Amino acid sequence: MDKEHVDFLVIGGGVAGLRAAIELAPHGSVLVVTKDIPTESSTGYAQGGIAVAMSDEDEVGIHYEDTLKAGDGLCREDAVRILVEEGPERIQELISWGAEFDKEGSKLAFTLEAAHSRKRILHAHGDATGKELERVLIGKVRSYPSVKRYAFAIAVELIVSDGRCFGAYVLKNRRVVPILAKATVLATGGGGQIFSITTNPQVATADGMAMAFRAGAVLEDMEFVQFHPTSLYLPAAPHFLLSEAMRGEGGILRNINREPFMKRYHPQAELAPRDVVSRAIISEMVKTKSDHVFLDLTHLGSDFVRRRFPRIYSTCLQYDVDITKDLIPVCPAAHYMMGGVKTDTNGATNIKGLYAAGETACTGIHGANRLASNSLLEGLVFGKRAGSSALKNPVEAPEPELQMPTVAHSIPAHDEIRGRLRRLMWEKVGIIRCESSLTTAKQRLSDWAYILDKTLLTRRELELKNMLQVATIITEAALKRKESVGAHYRSDYPQKGKDWQKHISWRKKI
Ligand code: FAD
Ligand code: SIN
């Protein structure tokens, strides 16, 4: 049987996976696998920027407080402390590797986003921060001869035996290859594709969470899905993100009667926490019997808007919307998963040799609602910590007997099921949930449960299995939490209950 051995396997090539690989590279051979081209990740699409307390008017203590407040009482404070304290060092390091953030004169320029009490968002090329991070991190990774990268290599299952992880089965060139490693870092990003309306790229199908769950890892906080208030709403266009930084710079939300409405919902108006803004938009859409509202930048000055948001400007223009002159039709979209594979502050999961970092992990820093632009920083800080802890704790046990997933089944009409699942999740497990919508979702998802028992060896089918696995857990978690906290809003339980300060965990009986 063909198999490969490396010292360290990193699954995923976004900010978290790349930062982990850089930490591991001086200490052994590293393989980074990505299921698409190396640059296809949420990281590459990140717009608004990266939150870090580095401006003259800011302090790490204030960043800490803002993160806890946005998390609505459910953040893990030790993890938040690490994020805000180590953040500035990670950014300085990135700058020393060549990252070019936008400046005002000779100083770094910081912008404002929702629920931040200071201007603290660093950005690059206006609205292409993710691309800049990716450029610098990929450049750094490529400078290490010890790092190999495989594109279009899809992790299918983790290799786990006796509570230890030995690597993963990876599908490459239509063949499954076991890749054996002393430590494995899962950095597969989130699962926005589970919902029919999402800002996330096609690769975001929650593969890491699903694989880890099947292998016996603990998932936590899965009911908390963040819906971004403003994605482009045009029948012929994808739900392209319209960065929160546009509201940070003064953009105004208007309903279809052109009336501004956010002040009626929250004293921070357009810059209220994301969950509040998303629900306010839904409420205006219902009131005005419309499927969108508008984002208005027309008062900000055409030169400024084009300079500050060049990528958004040119993308919208392709759809005949000139954001300097036209109101932009927008609606909320699934954007980020606060929950994921439970880790400690060093990225360690409950399975020896398995680490997780970035959006696929749940360190607890985001609590019930992530503070805007904290996730790129999370990828840097906890990607490094996961790498550093992985190299200190190699799995030295004898290699287990391999059980190659070779006999493949196929799922008739899998693309049709994928579409139905995504619409179901948007309609019944979306921004506003209740017992009856969640129960309907749970029943319909269970009709497809047979898919979870199959060995699937094409990318689309595997993704469907992973999406179904995680959709089922999100739905069950949302049913279980009978109260509204952060991004989880239950119309039948609109308040926090008595016992709200808990975390709900999920672990498969193996
Ligand atoms: P990703 O960057 O998503 O990378 C995942 C990697 O895993 C990819 O390489 C993918 O190919 C690989 N992968 C997945 N499954 C498999 C598999 N089975 N086998 C092999 N490889 C696999 N956050 C901010 O802080 N600031 C922002 O301005 C911001 N803007 C955003 C804009 C958009 C449009 C989106 C979608 C998100 C934005 N976010 C932002 C969120 C942030 O970008 C993500 O949370 C973060 O980039 C996640 O990084 P990651 O490394 O965990 O995963
Ligand atoms: C945005 O630019 O609005 C996205 C920021 C984020 O998701 O943190």
Side-chain angles (χ1 to χ4, degrees):
M1 177 199 307
D2 283 350
K3 53 186 169 183
E4 282 192 43
H5 289 87
V6 288
D7 290 322
F8 307 108
L9 173 64
V10 178
I11 308 176
V15 59
L18 292 171
R19 188 59 193 83
I22 291 167
E23 207 57 20
L24 293 162
H27 305 277
S29 58
V30 183
L31 174 62
V32 180
V33 294
T34 59
K35 78 170 164 183
D36 207 291
I37 55 170
T39 50
E40 187 62 7
S41 63
S42 290
T43 299
Y45 292 98
Q47 293 181 353
I50 181 158
V52 65
M54 284 172 69
S55 82
D56 295 343
E57 62 172 42
D58 206 358
E59 290 166 28
V60 291
I62 308 177
H63 189 185
Y64 173 79
E65 290 301 332
D66 287 349
T67 302
L68 294 189
K69 207 165 158 194
D72 205 10
L74 282 181
C75 297
R76 291 196 190 269
E77 295 178 9
D78 54 342
V80 177
R81 180 71 64 197
I82 289 170
L83 177 83
V84 299
E85 284 181 354
E86 295 183 9
E89 209 180 318
R90 295 286 74 74
I91 296 295
Q92 290 294 3
E93 177 181 72
L94 213 57
I95 293 173
S96 75
W97 294 341
E100 290 179 12
F101 292 108
D102 296 336
K103 290 190 170 168
E104 268 159 17
S106 60
K107 286 188 161 183
L108 289 169
F110 294 88
T111 193
L112 196 62
E113 282 185 1
H116 287 271
S117 61
R118 293 286 187 282
K119 284 189 166 189
R120 78 163 59 96
I121 321 297
L122 275 181
H123 43 91
H125 313 295
D127 54 4
T129 314
K131 277 269 162 284
E132 180 64 2
L133 252 67
E134 201 176 72
R135 180 187 73 78
V136 171
L137 293 171
I138 289 179
K140 186 73 184 167
V141 161
R142 289 176 64 169
S143 72
Y144 290 103
S146 54
V147 184
K148 260 193 307 189
R149 294 186 297 149
Y150 289 167
F152 298 105
I154 306 164
V156 175
E157 298 294 352
L158 296 168
I159 303 171
V160 171
S161 171
D162 263 346
R164 292 189 182 86
C165 180
F166 293 85
Y169 296 105
V170 172
L171 181 65
K172 191 168 159 273
N173 299 330
R174 299 194 186 170
R175 280 189 331 126
V176 179
V177 184
I179 298 183
L180 293 143
K182 291 179 195 161
T184 302
V185 180
L186 207 51
T188 43
Q193 284 291 326
I194 290 172
F195 296 85
S196 56
I197 299 188
T198 182
T199 61
N200 283 198
Q202 290 284 333
V203 291
T205 51
D207 294 4
M209 296 176 203
M211 280 187 290
F213 178 73
R214 289 196 289 269
V218 175
L219 304 189
E220 196 162 87
D221 290 346
M222 297 299 286
E223 64 276 34
F224 298 119
V225 176
Q226 183 169 73
F227 296 87
H228 197 291
T230 53
S231 73
L232 185 61
Y233 177 83
L234 284 176
H239 286 278
F240 178 71
L241 182 76
L242 294 163
S243 176
E244 194 153 275
M246 299 170 94
R247 280 174 282 128
E249 299 287 0
I252 295 171
L253 287 166
R254 298 181 183 275
N255 63 22
I256 51 152
N257 303 320
R258 314 294 197 258
E259 295 156 356
F261 56 85
M262 271 316 301
K263 285 204 179 108
R264 281 193 268 118
Y265 291 89
H266 197 278
Q268 283 172 282
E270 269 70 11
L271 293 181
R274 273 185 192 172
D275 58 311
V276 175
V277 182
S278 290
R279 284 196 298 278
I281 291 176
I282 295 290
S283 163
E284 290 297 306
M285 281 162 46
V286 171
K287 268 194 216 156
T288 58
K289 298 193 176 55
S290 170
D291 37 23
H292 65 278
V293 296
F294 290 114
L295 178 62
D296 179 5
L297 265 62
T298 55
H299 54 292
L300 294 183
S302 162
D303 286 351
F304 170 75
V305 170
R306 266 184 299 194
R307 197 179 56 248
R308 182 66 184 82
F309 302 109
R311 192 156 157 236
I312 299 175
Y313 171 75
S314 62
T315 305
C316 290
L317 213 51
Q318 286 170 25
Y319 298 101
D320 218 13
V321 176
D322 180 343
I323 64 170
T324 67
K325 295 197 187 104
D326 302 324
L327 297 187
I328 317 165
V330 294
C331 72
H335 184 61
Y336 184 86
M337 292 181 66
M338 271 69 76
V341 184
K342 184 177 180 180
T343 69
D344 66 13
T345 52
N346 292 315
T349 70
N350 59 306
I351 297 177
K352 283 200 184 72
L354 179 66
Y355 298 81
E359 192 169 338
T360 204
C362 179
T363 55
I365 58 172
H366 306 302
N369 191 24
R370 176 177 63 101
L371 183 68
S373 288
N374 260 356
S375 42
L376 292 176
L377 193 69
E378 173 189 25
L380 291 176
V381 169
F382 290 94
K384 176 188 157 63
R385 289 177 81 88
S388 146
S389 129
L391 63 90
K392 285 182 204 137
N393 301 290
V395 169
E396 304 285 9
E399 214 170 277
E401 203 178 307
L402 296 176
Q403 289 168 345
M404 291 277 287
T406 44
V407 184
H409 301 95
S410 73
I411 305 295
H414 58 89
D415 273 335
E416 188 194 318
I417 298 174
R418 187 186 182 114
R420 283 170 59 200
L421 178 147
R422 298 179 72 223
R423 285 191 295 279
L424 176 72
M425 290 300 285
W426 176 257
E427 283 160 18
K428 307 287 182 201
V429 196
I431 300 171
I432 297 176
R433 305 154 169 186
C434 65
E435 188 83 19
S436 101
S437 74
L438 293 167
T439 307
T440 305
K442 186 177 164 179
Q443 270 162 5
R444 294 205 197 141
L445 290 170
S446 71
D447 292 344
W448 298 314
Y450 65 94
I451 293 174
L452 298 176
D453 298 327
K454 305 242 184 261
T455 305
L456 299 166
L457 295 179
T458 67
R459 172 170 163 179
R460 295 284 289 182
E461 288 171 303
L462 257 170
E463 287 179 342
L464 173 62
K465 175 172 168 174
N466 292 334
M467 287 159 73
L468 174 63
Q469 186 104 63
V470 173
T472 304
I473 298 172
I474 293 173
T475 306
E476 289 190 4
L479 260 170
K480 198 160 179 182
R481 191 177 277 280
K482 295 190 192 311
E483 62 216 346
S484 293
V485 188
H488 170 67
Y489 186 81
R490 291 270 310 244
S491 56
D492 44 353
Y493 298 98
Q495 309 297 331
K496 280 180 179 155
K498 267 197 219 127
D499 183 26
W500 64 276
Q501 240 166 346
K502 62 188 175 226
H503 293 272
I504 303 178
S505 303
W506 302 87
R507 187 173 179 186
K508 189 176 174 189
K509 286 194 191 79
I510 295 185

